């Protein structure tokens, strides 16, 4: 996946004008138009069903469905539709500014292609015509990308400010529960479709996720290592018995007597030897005697 990601970056560098500029604006306007058509037909969903995707219709030559399903609203409640369109326009334009038009288009259309591939494969293997009438997984993939790039960005959830990374963790948990529920019901297709649809997120961010997991596991290993546990125990006992945390092994100054003085532990000394800022780089290292 890292190789594929590098190839994408190389392509985007060579073809910066590739794709549709302001793609999310086009999608938002198209979705709004479809919603107004839905209203004009008296809330008749079947009147806009020719925009959804299914394999049977594609085989009958209705190739426009490969694209038009992205314009079908994910919600027909006016309030939620406006909120969702504004939110995904916001994160989509932010990604396009960060990546450039070419890379953002590849990411978004990659999510579309994987969603289509999942529905087609499910229809072929089960013999049942699955319908793709939502960009839920495409938008979810876009949201996860935004959360990876801007984890500390804040949005208002009703009136409560919430960081994007916490919303992403919540969505990931709900996503996992949905897959687990499908597996419990032995709905293998229902479990595989969302995973397939989000593969482009792993292509673009697989290396970042691997590095993040490595850092977290390394930090956990350090916290639970015998050396760290012994060090924390020694500090607690020292504070309890002698009334200070740190004492310079050279001059004897303590953090109790000199609260504004900085103390450091030397990694080259054998043991937990502490030194004040004056002696941390000016002392003889203590090593094991032969």
């Amino acid at each position: 996946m890292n190789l594929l990601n590098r190839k994408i970056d190389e392509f985007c560098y060579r073809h910066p004008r590739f794709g549709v500029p302001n793609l999310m604006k086009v999608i938002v306007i198209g979705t709004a138009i479809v919603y107004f058509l839905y209203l004009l037909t008296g809330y008749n969903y079947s009147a806009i069903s020719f925009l959804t995707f299914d394999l049977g219709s594609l085989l009958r030559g209705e190739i426009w469905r490969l694209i038009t399903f992205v314009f079908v609203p994910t919600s027909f409640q006016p309030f939620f539709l406006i909120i969702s369109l504004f939110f995904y326009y916001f994160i989509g334009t932010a990604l396009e500014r960060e990546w450039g038009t070419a890379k953002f288009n590849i990411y978004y259309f990659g999510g579309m292609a994987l969603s289509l591939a999942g529905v087609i494969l499910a229809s072929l293997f089960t013999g049942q015509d699955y319908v793709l009438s939502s960009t839920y997984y495409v938008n979810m993939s876009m949201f996860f990308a935004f959360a990876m790039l801007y984890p500390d960005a804040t949005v208002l959830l009703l009136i409560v400010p919430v960081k994007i990374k916490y919303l992403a963790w919540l969505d990931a948990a709900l996503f996992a529960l949905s897959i687990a529920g499908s597996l419990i019901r032995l709905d293998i297709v229902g479990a595989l479709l969302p995973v397939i649809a989000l593969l482009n997120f792993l292509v673009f961010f697989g290396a970042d996720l691997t590095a993040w997991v490595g850092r977290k596991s390394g930090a956990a290993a350090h916290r639970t290592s015998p050396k760290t546990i012994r060090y924390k125990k020694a500090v607690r006992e020292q504070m309890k018995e002698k009334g200070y945390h740190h004492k310079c092994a050279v001059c004897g100054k303590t953090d109790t007597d000199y609260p504004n003085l900085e103390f450091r532990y030397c990694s080259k000394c054998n043991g937990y030897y502490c030194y004040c800022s004056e002696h941390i780089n000016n002392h003889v290292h203590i090593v094991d005697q032969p």
Side-chain angles (χ1 to χ4, degrees):
M1 287 189 176
N2 290 341
L3 177 61
L4 180 57
N5 195 13
R6 287 197 299 270
K7 293 296 183 182
I8 291 172
D9 286 336
E10 291 174 6
F11 176 85
C12 295
Y13 178 77
R14 293 187 182 127
H15 306 88
R17 298 181 181 277
F18 173 81
V20 181
N22 298 314
L23 177 61
M24 287 310 298
K25 181 184 290 186
V26 174
I27 293 173
V28 167
I29 293 174
T31 304
I33 292 173
V34 171
Y35 180 73
F36 282 120
L37 290 175
Y38 167 76
L39 295 180
L40 291 174
T41 57
Y43 306 97
N44 183 10
Y45 180 80
S46 61
I48 62 171
S49 62
F50 72 97
L51 300 173
T52 62
F53 175 84
D54 65 88
L55 182 58
S57 298
L58 178 66
L59 295 177
R60 290 193 295 270
E62 299 176 7
I63 59 175
W64 65 82
R65 294 175 182 260
L66 291 169
I67 299 294
T68 55
F69 77 93
V70 301
F71 299 115
V72 178
T74 55
S75 172
F76 289 91
Q77 296 295 327
F79 175 77
F80 293 108
L81 177 62
I82 292 171
I83 294 297
S84 64
L85 289 180
F86 174 80
F87 182 68
Y88 288 118
Y89 174 77
F90 167 73
I91 65 176
T93 51
L95 289 175
E96 186 169 355
R97 285 195 303 269
E98 176 72 23
W99 283 338
T101 297
K103 188 170 183 177
F104 177 67
N105 273 251
I106 290 174
Y107 188 83
Y108 196 88
F109 285 119
M112 287 174 54
L114 287 168
S115 295
L116 290 167
V119 170
I120 291 172
L121 290 174
S123 299
L124 289 174
F125 281 110
T126 64
Q128 176 183 347
D129 252 358
Y130 283 88
V131 177
L132 184 59
S133 59
S134 170
T135 54
Y136 173 77
Y137 295 123
V138 180
N139 291 338
M140 183 67 72
S141 177
M142 188 170 62
F143 173 65
F144 285 150
F146 181 83
M148 286 292 293
L149 293 175
Y150 307 102
D152 293 319
T154 302
V155 296
L156 287 177
L157 190 62
L158 297 180
I159 58 173
V160 180
V162 181
K163 288 187 175 181
I164 286 291
K165 60 184 176 183
Y166 300 133
L167 289 179
W169 279 114
L170 176 61
D171 281 344
L174 295 175
F175 192 74
L177 287 174
S178 175
I179 294 174
S182 296
L183 291 174
I184 291 173
R185 296 191 302 271
L186 300 180
D187 181 9
I188 306 300
V189 173
L192 287 178
L193 283 179
V195 175
I196 293 173
L198 290 177
L199 280 179
N200 65 322
F201 173 76
L202 296 179
V203 169
F204 278 71
F205 292 99
D208 295 325
L209 288 173
T210 302
W212 180 81
V213 170
R215 289 194 301 271
K216 289 297 183 181
S217 60
H222 174 73
R223 288 195 300 270
T224 57
S225 68
K227 184 176 180 180
T228 302
I229 293 173
R230 288 195 300 270
Y231 163 72
K232 290 182 178 180
K233 182 179 179 181
V235 168
R236 287 195 300 270
E237 291 177 350
Q238 181 173 263
M239 182 64 184
K240 182 177 179 180
E241 295 176 6
K242 300 180 180 180
Y244 59 82
H245 278 100
H246 308 296
K247 180 179 180 181
C248 180
V250 175
C251 64
K253 293 179 180 178
T254 68
D255 58 347
T256 301
D257 296 328
Y258 299 87
N260 295 323
L261 193 61
E262 292 186 3
F263 292 85
R264 296 286 185 272
Y265 285 84
C266 180
S267 60
K268 296 182 180 179
C269 290
N270 183 40
Y272 303 106
Y273 291 95
C274 183
Y275 301 92
C276 66
S277 56
E278 180 182 350
H279 295 108
I280 184 63
N281 296 314
N282 183 25
H283 66 271
V284 177
H285 297 299
I286 300 173
V287 296
D288 288 332
Q289 297 295 326

